[in-house]
Amino acid sequence: MRSVAFHTLGCKVNQYDSQAMLELFEEAGYEIRDFSASADVYVINTCTVTGTGDKKSLQAVRRVLRQNPAAHVVIAGCLAQRDGEKLLSTGARLVIGNARRKEVVSLLEEAIDRNQQIAAVSDILRADYEPLSISRHEGHTRAVLKIQEGCDRYCTYCIIPYVRGGIRSRKPADIRAEAERLAKAGFVELVLTGIHLTSYGRDLENETLLDAIRACDVPGVQRIRLGSLEPVIVTEDFVSALQKESKVCPQFHLALQSGCDSVLKRMRRRYTTEEFDRACALLRAAFPGCAITTDVIAGFPGETEEEFMETMAFCQKIGFARMHVFPYSARQGTPAAQMSNQVQKAIREERARQLIAVGNQLAKAYMENQLGTIQEVLAEECENGLAQGYTGAYISCHFPGGVPGQVYPIWVTGLTEEGLTGEIAD
């Protein structure tokens, strides 16, 4: 029996895609092994959203081939879609893009049988929705459920539309069927993910993101967590409808990227800080105490010290529960990479450090507000009698007792650097 091991970089969409490919290998009779173990095949699902993603992806490929020179390596994902045949120079047996993952096993075995290398990268801009599916999520208590693929926003800094293609939505009936499979497998929380969730349904007839959310409301599922949203979707009607979906977690990730309107315009983001602020207010009015999390880019081309300070002040004003901060990374082929007024690397990194410090302060303040409250926590691990899991607002919490996969009411009694501590409420 041949064996296969997976290593996934990047976003939750990649996590889903890896699980789907893993199950295809399993159906073909392969034994699944840990990535640190010896295996016949290694699949590395890559990321190219930043230069760091490129570097880590290539490092993983080289490390595997150095340690296991007889193994067959498959490079999949966004870097594979972007660089295609160039990656065959790494020694990979198969390079497969974001449109032919359903064929990963047959293509690999064809390459092995013919003793050839294959680059299976097709035109992603004309691709249909690829019918990948999963029945579980290996090594997880929560399951990622992919409902959408692609993006057509073309923000000036972003490579993703070029490597993921245009908007393609999964039909609600298919979403419900998969939600039922995952619930049957014991998953009580589903994380809805996609490349641009806000665009879900634009390519379908009379379907919206709310329909996809409702499709996940099946027996056994207790929590539905949403992936990243754009503030433009957060209207009064949307929030009012969302409020009626009792299983939706009170955590909303709104990608800010910059808290300065002039920078947002150069980024080609389609909202203003005023609209972003209003979206946050609508969510907080409907979901008191909810966690609003975000992404911020530091040092976008042309960002002045004054513009950066506007972003710092705006983040503090909103009071995010968590901030993911990235120094700007130029992506070849994007308009921002061609802008003449690039910010020096040292300045980008220093601004990122300052934003991270603000984010840490805001996260601590949010967690302090949880003290003395009762939070529903999904236990994910249990070791030496101590369980660890996440609240509905996606804050880590440790407490005595508990069984992985169960949701407990936890009385929050303390804080750590990573999250909360508490005990099961009577």
Side-chain angles (χ1 to χ4, degrees):
M1 177 185 288
R2 284 176 172 169
S3 56
V4 62
F6 277 76
H7 181 58
T8 305
L9 298 104
C11 64
K12 284 184 171 60
V13 177
N14 260 16
Q15 292 178 20
Y16 180 94
D17 294 341
S18 287
Q19 178 64 33
M21 288 189 287
L22 181 151
E23 293 188 25
L24 290 171
F25 275 98
E26 199 169 49
E27 289 168 10
Y30 283 71
E31 177 188 354
I32 309 302
R33 293 189 180 173
D34 188 83
F35 193 72
S36 61
S38 176
D40 299 310
V41 177
Y42 292 88
V43 180
I44 298 165
N45 201 0
T46 62
C47 175
T48 192
V49 73
T50 65
T52 300
D54 288 353
K55 183 179 179 180
K56 288 183 176 180
S57 297
L58 292 172
Q59 284 176 339
V61 172
R62 294 185 184 112
R63 184 170 64 250
V64 163
L65 287 170
R66 184 172 62 250
Q67 296 174 353
N68 306 272
H72 304 289
V73 170
V74 177
I75 304 178
C78 291
L79 183 60
Q81 181 66 43
R82 178 184 171 185
D83 285 349
E85 291 190 2
K86 293 179 183 178
L87 292 173
L88 294 178
S89 64
T90 63
R93 177 66 71 180
L94 172 65
V95 177
I96 188 166
N98 285 329
R100 299 184 66 183
R101 292 158 301 195
K102 192 82 173 175
E103 306 170 63
V104 63
V105 178
S106 60
L107 286 168
L108 173 65
E109 292 184 346
E110 177 186 343
I112 294 172
D113 291 345
R114 295 184 178 183
N115 194 27
Q116 295 177 341
Q117 293 177 286
I118 292 179
V121 180
S122 57
D123 184 357
I124 197 68
L125 298 181
R126 294 181 176 84
D128 295 326
Y129 186 88
E130 189 175 19
L132 298 173
S133 63
I134 66 174
S135 61
R136 66 186 194 281
H137 204 121
E138 196 78 13
H140 293 261
T141 304
R142 292 169 290 118
V144 173
L145 200 167
K146 179 177 167 183
I147 66 168
Q148 183 272 340
E149 178 67 272
C151 179
D152 61 2
R153 300 291 87 182
Y154 288 95
C155 298
T156 56
Y157 56 84
C158 189
I159 194 69
I160 295 304
Y162 304 94
V163 295
R164 285 283 182 174
I167 301 297
R168 289 102 76 203
S169 304
R170 194 173 186 181
K171 294 179 180 179
D174 293 339
I175 295 171
R176 177 172 289 275
E178 186 156 291
E180 290 172 343
R181 286 196 301 272
L182 292 168
K184 187 176 181 180
F187 293 95
V188 298
E189 180 176 317
L190 303 181
V191 183
L192 271 60
T193 192
I195 296 300
H196 195 254
L197 282 187
T198 298
S199 293
Y200 175 87
R202 274 180 32 206
D203 56 328
L204 303 177
E205 289 188 16
N206 303 316
E207 306 289 358
T208 69
L209 180 58
L210 289 165
D211 295 302
I213 293 168
R214 292 168 185 142
C216 293
D217 187 357
V218 300
V221 170
Q222 298 181 43
R223 306 207 301 199
I224 300 170
R225 192 177 299 280
L226 304 182
S228 182
L229 300 174
E230 297 272 338
V232 294
I233 199 174
V234 186
T235 63
E236 290 184 6
D237 288 344
F238 177 81
V239 172
S240 177
L242 196 64
Q243 195 176 20
K244 297 172 184 175
E245 303 302 318
S246 60
K247 295 181 181 180
V248 170
C249 289
Q251 181 231 339
F252 304 100
H253 191 85
L254 300 183
L256 175 63
Q257 308 304 4
S258 175
C260 172
D261 286 333
S262 54
V263 176
L264 288 174
K265 187 174 182 179
R266 294 201 300 276
M267 288 178 166
R268 204 184 290 155
R269 300 294 285 177
R270 305 186 186 200
Y271 53 84
T272 64
T273 52
E274 181 180 355
E275 290 168 332
F276 191 99
D277 192 3
R278 181 173 180 272
C280 294
L282 286 171
L283 288 169
R284 284 171 169 154
F287 299 88
C290 68
I292 296 178
T293 59
T294 200
D295 300 320
V296 184
I297 296 172
F300 184 78
E303 183 184 66
T304 65
E305 186 66 22
E306 291 75 18
E307 289 173 328
F308 170 67
M309 294 308 295
E310 281 187 44
T311 292
M312 290 271 283
F314 187 75
C315 290
Q316 291 169 323
K317 174 186 176 182
I318 295 297
F320 294 108
R322 187 168 59 257
M323 291 167 52
H324 297 141
V325 178
F326 309 90
Y328 168 74
S329 178
R331 301 283 77 200
Q332 185 179 358
T334 63
Q338 304 304 314
M339 293 179 180
S340 60
N341 49 356
Q342 301 289 318
V343 177
Q344 293 180 7
K345 181 180 179 182
I347 294 175
R348 297 199 307 265
E349 292 178 346
E350 174 56 29
R351 289 177 181 174
R353 280 192 289 271
Q354 292 182 47
L355 281 167
I356 289 169
V358 168
N360 289 339
Q361 293 170 1
L362 295 175
K364 183 179 179 182
Y366 182 82
M367 290 190 294
E368 286 174 344
N369 286 332
Q370 309 296 300
L371 289 170
T373 66
I374 293 178
Q375 300 292 323
E376 298 290 320
V377 177
L378 170 60
E380 299 203 358
E381 299 175 347
C382 189
E383 187 174 349
N384 298 324
L386 190 66
Q388 183 274 331
Y390 288 87
T391 69
Y394 203 63
I395 304 297
S396 177
C397 182
H398 288 81
F399 59 95
V403 176
Q406 299 293 315
V407 177
Y408 296 91
I410 300 299
W411 181 262
V412 179
T413 57
L415 303 177
T416 67
E417 288 188 6
E418 284 112 21
L420 310 173
T421 59
E423 56 191 40
I424 299 174
D426 294 332

